Amino acid sequence: MQSITLIRPDDWHLHFRDGEMLKETVPATARCFNRAIAMPNLVPPVTNADMAMAYKQRILDAVPEGQTLEPLVTLYLTNTTTAEDIREARQKGIVASKLYPAGATTNSDAAVEGIKSLYPVFETMAEVGMLLLIHGEVTESHVDIFDREKEFIDQYLVDITATFPDLKVVFEHITTKDAAQFVLSSSDKVAATITPQHLLLNRNDLLVGGIKPHNYCLPVLKRNIHQQALRDVVASGANKFFLGTDSAPHEKHKKENACGCAGCYSAWSAIELYAEVFEQLNALDKLEGFASLYGPDFYGLPRNTDTITLVKNDWTVPDSIALPTGDDIVPFYAGQTLTWKLA
């Protein structure tokens, strides 16, 4: 096979950041994705509808002439979020809100402490048809970082999905066999996104031979049995799993640091990275469902009608990308060869 034509895909989880960074991240995403769920963990976080709509406009202003992109902005849930905040956001077309346990990832210090206190908000979300997107990790310091996803399932996610059976929940960027099994065993109101890094890598790729800061992300890479479980579910074509890159840019000096930032910036090679995975799995026939169909179906949005084409053409992911700020960023898979390229 020398080419693959897909219905144009969407990215159901990414970080554009803000300000000058948008001049880099928005064109990188618009090159192949039609819609993108924009994470709200800015500084300050996007906590109400007015902030969300202003952020959407800043993203749109950064779309290059001749390209199209529909940013789907989200609300950042806090302990002060109200049912009225949810209703107002939904009236303005906001499709989802994001639950970060406080301290779980970049810019999440203002997030939720005491998840059950948000149950009235979840009830309203179910009522108005707003999706709940969850970063599913506990943050208690005594819990091993490799066990935090499973602990979140046991402590919180089982109860959330049982208490609100009509609430659509996306378990974001899952990393474990436990998470994959939970999603498969749950109702059709529960789905998950999977990143390219968690399909391509495991914790050996982070730690063996020295720490690889540009492979450091949260949730952290897990052992190979969990990586294999994720590869198995995407190869199966199960429609509960769809594309969400979690592309998360950080300047090189912030990654290569004594306390380096978490995040892999994959936007410029995202669809090619996924094609690499699906070819490795002899499952290229399942790529379109994962990338282009299952996400809009779960969100209740129309599938895209235009297409993209990938061609067999070896190319090397650049070692660095110059940012408008004058800094450099090291992209995910920097210096490595991919065999598929967007035509």
Side-chain angles (χ1 to χ4, degrees):
M1 184 181 295
Q2 295 302 306
S3 68
I4 315 165
T5 297
L6 309 171
I7 293 173
R8 191 175 179 187
D10 304 297
D11 190 341
W12 298 99
H13 180 117
L14 63 72
H15 299 265
F16 284 119
R17 307 302 187 205
D18 207 354
E20 288 294 301
M21 186 72 84
L22 295 177
K23 295 177 183 177
E24 160 60 28
T25 57
V26 173
T29 300
R31 75 186 184 99
C32 67
F33 295 117
N34 183 50
R35 289 170 289 213
I37 287 281
M39 291 295 104
N41 57 331
L42 307 182
V43 179
V46 179
T47 55
N48 61 53
D50 288 343
M51 294 175 75
M53 300 316 289
Y55 182 41
K56 179 177 182 177
Q57 189 58 53
R58 295 197 297 276
I59 297 169
L60 288 171
D61 290 343
V63 177
E65 186 175 352
Q67 290 185 315
T68 60
L69 179 70
E70 181 183 358
L72 301 173
V73 288
T74 56
L75 219 58
Y76 183 110
L77 296 175
T78 74
N79 288 111
T80 61
T81 303
T82 66
E84 185 53 39
D85 291 329
I86 298 300
R87 293 185 191 280
E88 181 183 1
R90 193 70 189 97
Q91 288 168 2
K92 292 188 176 181
I94 295 171
V95 298
S97 289
K98 181 64 182 277
L99 172 64
Y100 290 104
T105 190
T106 303
N107 300 334
S108 64
D109 292 341
V112 174
E113 296 178 357
I115 289 172
K116 282 201 172 185
S117 67
L118 278 183
Y119 275 24
V121 171
F122 297 164
E123 185 175 6
T124 302
M125 291 174 65
E127 179 187 331
V128 301
M130 181 181 281
L131 281 76
L132 174 62
L133 315 182
I134 296 180
H135 182 119
E137 292 187 289
V138 300
T139 57
E140 290 89 348
S141 60
H142 68 276
V143 179
D144 189 288
I145 192 169
F146 294 105
D147 298 330
R148 291 183 175 187
E149 188 169 272
K150 183 181 187 306
E151 284 294 316
F152 187 90
I153 296 168
D154 296 342
Q155 290 187 35
Y156 300 109
L157 199 50
V158 169
D159 192 63
I160 291 170
T161 54
T163 304
F164 304 100
D166 295 324
L167 177 63
K168 279 191 171 182
V169 174
V170 181
F171 196 173
E172 303 263 49
H173 45 49
I174 64 168
T175 66
T176 60
K177 181 178 181 180
D178 310 275
Q181 291 175 339
F182 175 81
V183 172
L184 285 170
S185 65
S186 296
S187 78
D188 61 3
K189 301 291 186 181
V190 179
T193 55
I194 305 181
T195 74
Q197 62 264 28
H198 291 109
L199 290 167
L200 284 163
L201 309 180
N202 58 63
R203 66 188 187 183
N204 280 357
D205 300 292
L206 175 64
L207 299 171
V208 171
I211 294 172
K212 314 296 191 304
H214 299 287
N215 290 345
Y216 173 53
C217 57
L218 288 173
V220 72
L221 297 170
K222 304 299 192 298
R223 65 190 309 144
N224 60 353
I225 60 169
H226 297 295
Q227 177 196 12
Q228 188 58 50
L230 301 185
R231 290 166 69 92
D232 288 345
V233 295
V234 300
S236 76
N239 66 2
K240 285 170 152 275
F241 304 90
F242 45 85
L243 188 155
T245 62
D246 195 20
S247 182
H250 293 285
E251 294 89 341
K252 180 179 179 180
H253 72 273
K254 292 182 179 178
K255 293 285 288 179
E256 298 178 2
N257 188 287
C259 187
C261 294
C264 298
Y265 182 55
S266 58
W268 277 114
S269 55
I271 194 63
E272 293 93 339
L273 288 162
Y274 283 112
E276 194 84 9
V277 172
F278 279 78
E279 183 172 50
Q280 290 173 5
L281 298 171
N282 294 314
L284 280 171
D285 60 317
K286 304 297 196 305
L287 177 59
E288 185 175 57
F290 176 83
S292 310
L293 308 181
Y294 306 152
D297 290 354
F298 188 77
Y299 271 77
L301 296 172
R303 295 175 174 180
N304 298 320
T305 55
D306 55 337
T307 61
I308 64 166
T309 297
L310 295 164
V311 296
K312 270 282 190 182
N313 183 11
D314 288 359
W315 65 287
T316 301
V317 179
D319 290 326
S320 66
I321 296 168
L323 294 174
T325 59
D327 290 306
D328 286 343
I329 191 167
V330 176
F332 179 64
Y333 242 51
Q336 298 192 58
T337 299
L338 295 175
T339 58
W340 291 97
K341 181 68 176 170
L342 187 68

